[in-house]
Amino acid sequence: MRYLCRPTDETIDIAALEAYGRAYATSLGFTIDTTMTLENSSYYPGDRVPLWSMEDARRLVRDNVRATASNLIACDGSIEGFRSNILIEKDGEDGYVIWVMYG
């Protein structure tokens, strides 16, 4: 990935972002299940994004969790009873993929 500008070169803490995403998902009503993986869960396509700062990364994780919840509510009327897990993978030099699994 190539970008014209880089806001910061802050270290991205993937474990902290996953924990943040799980906490946010819990606040929306999901039950966290860390046994969920890409192989045993449902998920929307992962969001491939550059992450240059933890602040921006938290915002993008929050946006992905909220979008997943909104889609499930639109289909099912509620996220009550849905389990979730957050996975973030490095994808290239500055790129990451944010996955929000549900089931």
Side-chain angles (χ1 to χ4, degrees), residues 1-78:
M1 294 180 170
R2 288 193 178 179
Y3 306 98
L4 297 176
C5 61
R6 294 174 63 133
T8 69
D9 282 319
E10 184 177 339
T11 299
I12 300 301
D13 184 342
I14 291 175
L17 289 174
E18 290 172 340
Y20 176 82
R22 290 179 190 117
Y24 184 67
T26 298
S27 77
L28 296 179
F30 283 106
T31 300
I32 299 305
D33 181 351
T34 57
T35 67
M36 297 176 81
T37 66
L38 296 174
E39 289 76 32
N40 68 10
S41 306
S42 297
Y43 52 88
Y44 294 104
D47 191 11
R48 295 184 189 290
V49 293
L51 300 178
W52 293 312
S53 74
M54 287 296 287
E55 179 181 348
D56 284 340
R58 283 187 292 272
R59 178 185 54 79
L60 288 166
V61 168
R62 195 172 51 247
D63 288 351
N64 277 269
V65 171
R66 187 179 319 116
T68 298
S70 294
N71 287 333
L72 292 173
I73 290 168
C75 292
D76 199 52
S78 169

